[in-house]
Amino acid sequence: RWAKVYAAAREIKPDMRIWYHSDGNILEIIPELIEIGVTILNPIQPECMDVGTVKKRFGDKVVLDGTIGTQSVMPFGTPADVERTVREMKEIAGRDGALILAPTHVLEPEVPVENIEAFINSSRQS
C-alpha cells in the first residue's frame, strides 16, 4: 500500500523525500522500505540497532535520522558521554552527509538540561 502512495506522491513531486518512522529493530525490513521508495529512516535507535551496521548496509540508499539514544545516553549519561556519542555518530554515520543527527525520540523530563546543551554544542562542532 505504501508503495502505491509513495509512487502517487512522486508523480506530483518526483524529487520528494519519503521519511519513514518505525520504532525498534527494523533491520530486516529496511531493504523492502528502500524498494518501495523510503529515503529517510527514523529513528535509528542505538539501543536496538547497530548504527554502523545500518550505515554500512544501507547508508548509500537512505538517510539515517536519529542515532542519539533517548533511552540511554540522553537521560542517563553525563554531558561528556553525550559529547562522545555525538562525535562517534558523526564519524560512523555522518561522514557522507546522509545523517540527520538527532535524539531518537522526544526528550523526556528526566533528561538533564546539561545533556541537551552538550548535544547542541557538540552537534555544532565539525
Side-chain angles (χ1 to χ4, degrees), residues 83 86-87 90 101 116-126:
E83 291 171 1
V86 167
R87 280 193 309 274
K90 285 179 177 179
L101 183 66
I116 297 168
E117 292 170 340
F119 170 76
I120 292 168
N121 293 333
S122 57
S123 295
R124 290 179 173 157
Q125 298 170 2
S126 313

Side-chain angles (χ1 to χ4, degrees), residues 105-124:
H105 290 286
V106 67
L107 296 177
E108 299 293 340
E110 66 268 11
V111 174
V113 171
E114 296 81 12
N115 286 2
I116 297 168
E117 292 170 340
F119 170 76
I120 292 168
N121 293 333
S122 57
S123 295
R124 290 179 173 157

